[in-house]
Amino acid sequence: MVAKGDFVVAVSKKEVVATVLPMQEHWLPMSNLDLLLPPVDVGVFFCYKKTPEEDNLFTFGSMCGVLKKSLAQVLVSYYPFAGEIVQNTVGEPEILCNNRGVDFIEAFAEVDLCDLDFYNPDESVEGKLVPKKKQGVLCVQATKLKCGGLVVACTFDHRVADAYSTNMFLISWAETARSMTLSLRPSFRRSLLCPRRPGLHSSSLNNLYIPISALPPPPEPQPADHLISRIYYISADQLIRLQLLASANGAHKTKLETFCAFLWKLVAAGVTGKGQFCKLGIVVDGRMRLSEGEMEKSKLFTSYFGNVLSIPYGEKPVRVLTNQSLSSVADSVHEFLETAVTKDHFLDLIDWVEAQRPEPIVARIYAGGEDGPNGPALVVSSGQRFPVSKVEFGWGKPVFGSYHFPWGGEAGYVMPMPSPIGNGDWVVYMHMMKGQVELIEREGGDVLRPLTFDYLNSN
C-alpha cells in the first residue's frame, strides 16, 4: 500500500466566485432542524484522471474556467451557498444572502493520482486537497496533480446543508458545467418545517437532544488516544454474508442496520472497565417521513435544501454487546431506529426545538451522561445516495469521491458510500479514536479493508 502524505501543495490563485446575476440582499432564516446542527464544516472531494493526450480542450486552466463559470451560474439557484452566516438579535444563526461569493482556490500538488494515500486522508487530503473554509458558507479548491489528474473539493457549513442538499448541489453544478437543464431545482420553503400551533411533542425527545447549557463539563483530554480518519472498502459478498448473520433471528435487516450492528460490537469489544456503556447513533433523513406518501409534499421535500435530520441512538452495556450475537445487536439497532422513522417524530422534533429557542441544542449522542462520558459513542450517516458518477463536469467521471469530516468532537463519525466501481461494494469513511481504528483493523480486517488506488483501478 502506498502511503505518501508528505507531498507539497502550492496555491497559485485565489478568487471569489459570485452569482452571474445581481441579487437583492435578504435574510434566510434557519429552520428548527437547521438549529440542531453545530457550527462545523464538512468536506467532500472528487478525483479525476488525466484527460487523453489528444484531447487538448481540457488544460488545468480551461477546467478551472469551466468550474468557475458553471459555479457562478448554479449559485443563482443555490444562492445561500454564496452568502454568510450571521447572528440575529437573539443570537441565533441566520443566512445573510448578500452574494458575498464562494472562495475558489487553484492549487498544484507534487503527487500523482496513483500515489494518493486514500486510506489515510488525514495525511493526503486534510488541509491539502480539501480546503479550510475561512469565510462564507462554501469554499472550493481545484488541484492539479503531477500526473495531470485533477481533484475538485468543497468545504461547506453543515448548518446550511445536509448531505442530501449538498449532493443535490453537486449534481446541479455538474449539469450546469455540461450545459444541461437542472434535473432538480432547490426549494428553500421554510414553511415546510414550521412548528405546529399549539406545539406538541413527546418527552422522549429529552433523551435524544439536550440544551447546550445543560451539558456536563467536558472530559479531561486523553493524550494516549486521538481521533484519526481512515477510508476502507467492504466487498458486496461480505455485506451479504453479514446481512444473513444479522437476519438470523428471522427478521430481515437492511445492510445499514447490519453494518451498524457490526461496528457497535467491534467498538464495544475494545472497552475496558466495569460499568461502561457504548452508544451508537444513526442519522435519519426526514424528507420522505414528513411527506408520508403525499405526492405534492413528496415533490416539495425532494427538492428541499437544508437540514432535515434526526439522530436516534441506542446505548447498551459493553458486556451485553460483546456477548450478544450479531442478529441480537441488529435487533437493537432496528428498535431504536423505528422510533425516528415516522412523521410524528419529525413533527415533534420541530415543535421541541421551538420550545427551547433561542437556547442552542445538541444531540445527546455527542454528549456524555448526566455525570460525564461513560463510554465511547459513534454516529453512522448513510452516504448511499452519494452521487460520485454524476459529478461529471465534462472531462469524465471521477475515479473516486468521498466525504471528509474530521469534525473534532469526541464521538466517532462513519459514512458508508457506494463504491465508484459500481459492483455493490461500499467505501467507508471513518473518523474515530486511533485505538478503535486499530481494534477494527485487528478484529474486522477481513471485512473492512484499506482503500488503495489499486482497488479503484481494478475495474
Side-chain angles (χ1 to χ4, degrees):
M1 181 184 63
V2 178
K4 296 182 179 179
D6 57 350
F7 59 88
V8 176
V9 177
V11 174
S12 63
K13 188 177 182 181
K14 181 177 180 180
E15 61 184 288
V16 177
V17 177
T19 65
V20 295
L21 298 178
M23 293 182 62
Q24 183 175 358
E25 183 174 295
H26 67 283
W27 295 74
L28 180 65
M30 298 281 193
S31 76
N32 281 10
L33 298 184
D34 290 324
L35 295 174
L36 290 171
L37 274 296
V40 295
D41 291 335
V42 182
V44 60
F45 67 98
F46 301 90
C47 304
Y48 302 84
K49 285 184 177 180
K50 179 184 178 182
T51 54
E53 291 290 342
E54 63 272 13
D55 189 350
N56 295 319
L57 292 176
F58 296 115
T59 64
F60 179 60
S62 66
M63 288 189 287
C64 286
V66 169
L67 290 170
K68 286 184 279 191
K69 180 181 178 181
S70 55
L71 178 60
Q73 292 171 331
V74 80
L75 285 174
V76 174
S77 296
Y78 290 85
Y79 56 87
F81 268 157
E84 298 178 271
I85 293 184
V86 296
Q87 287 190 338
N88 62 18
T89 55
V90 295
E92 292 179 331
E94 289 191 2
I95 307 171
L96 175 59
C97 302
N98 59 357
N99 201 19
R100 180 254 171 212
V102 171
D103 289 342
F104 192 103
I105 301 164
E106 297 178 28
F108 296 86
E110 284 295 319
V111 65
D112 293 331
L113 178 58
C114 63
D115 286 340
L116 279 179
D117 187 4
F118 294 111
Y119 162 68
N120 186 5
D122 288 337
E123 295 295 326
S124 60
V125 174
E126 172 68 12
K128 293 182 177 180
L129 302 178
V130 173
K132 295 286 187 183
K133 183 178 66 61
K134 296 180 180 179
Q135 292 179 300
V137 177
L138 173 69
C139 179
V140 175
Q141 180 173 318
T143 306
K144 181 183 179 181
L145 305 179
K146 189 168 66 173
C147 61
L150 177 72
V151 177
V152 178
C154 303
T155 302
F156 64 94
D157 194 311
H158 201 342
R159 293 173 294 178
V160 174
D162 55 15
Y164 181 98
S165 302
T166 305
N167 293 345
M168 187 165 55
F169 163 76
L170 291 167
I171 293 172
S172 296
W173 185 13
E175 289 172 340
T176 303
R178 304 198 311 276
S179 301
M180 298 171 61
T181 301
L182 298 190
S183 55
L184 192 61
R185 292 189 176 276
S187 164
F188 306 96
R189 191 178 298 186
R190 299 300 197 237
S191 59
L192 290 171
L193 300 177
C194 278
R196 295 168 292 191
R197 304 293 184 195
L200 177 68
H201 57 81
S202 168
S203 60
S204 64
L205 288 171
N206 293 320
N207 299 323
L208 294 184
Y209 294 91
I210 183 173
I212 287 179
S213 61
L215 285 174
E220 291 294 324
Q222 302 294 323
D225 206 355
H226 59 280
L227 288 158
I228 61 173
S229 297
R230 290 286 186 265
I231 302 181
Y232 303 95
Y233 77 92
I234 305 178
S235 71
D237 290 342
Q238 287 284 16
L239 282 169
I240 292 171
R241 181 183 68 82
L242 287 174
Q243 191 175 22
L244 289 173
L245 291 172
S247 304
N249 287 349
H252 175 76
K253 299 299 187 303
T254 66
K255 287 185 173 68
L256 182 64
E257 289 171 333
T258 297
F259 175 71
C260 289
F262 171 74
L263 268 187
W264 204 3
K265 277 182 64 65
L266 273 181
V267 172
V271 179
T272 58
K274 295 181 179 180
Q276 293 277 11
F277 285 75
C278 187
K279 296 179 185 178
L280 170 75
I282 301 178
V283 178
V284 176
D285 187 329
R287 285 170 173 80
M288 292 304 101
R289 277 85 186 185
L290 284 165
S291 59
E292 206 177 58
E294 297 179 40
M295 188 172 294
E296 286 305 312
K297 267 196 173 182
S298 179
K299 290 179 181 178
L300 291 171
F301 273 111
T302 297
S303 61
Y304 180 79
F305 185 96
N307 288 282
V308 193
L309 305 176
S310 181
I311 311 179
Y313 73 92
E315 182 176 20
K316 278 184 168 290
V318 167
R319 57 178 176 77
V320 172
L321 289 168
T322 52
N323 291 328
Q324 281 186 326
S325 65
L326 183 65
S327 58
S328 295
V329 177
D331 287 341
S332 298
V333 172
H334 183 80
E335 286 170 11
F336 76 71
L337 261 181
E338 274 192 320
T339 65
V341 293
T342 66
K343 179 178 182 179
D344 286 342
H345 170 79
F346 280 91
L347 291 176
D348 283 5
L349 182 55
I350 292 167
D351 289 354
W352 185 86
V353 175
E354 185 70 13
Q356 314 302 318
R357 293 178 64 178
E359 175 73 48
I361 309 297
V362 68
R364 278 190 182 269
I365 183 68
Y366 297 135
E370 296 300 325
D371 299 316
N374 57 355
L378 66 151
V379 174
V380 179
S381 179
S382 174
Q384 292 307 307
R385 291 174 177 163
F386 187 49
V388 182
S389 63
K390 294 182 180 179
V391 186
E392 209 269 86
F393 295 101
W395 45 80
K397 296 178 180 179
V399 294
F400 181 63
S402 174
Y403 272 88
H404 182 64
F405 190 32
W407 70 290
E410 293 299 320
Y413 179 83
V414 179
M415 177 178 273
M417 296 162 280
S419 168
I421 295 177
N423 59 354
D425 294 356
W426 282 6
V427 167
V428 182
Y429 170 81
M430 285 190 180
H431 185 64
M432 299 177 69
M433 289 293 179
K434 185 174 183 290
Q436 294 171 348
V437 169
E438 291 172 349
L439 174 73
I440 288 170
E441 293 185 352
R442 188 168 62 248
E443 302 295 331
D446 58 331
V447 176
L448 286 159
R449 300 180 180 179
L451 186 79
T452 64
F453 184 79
D454 289 341
Y455 165 77
L456 296 171
N457 210 35
S458 63
N459 196 26

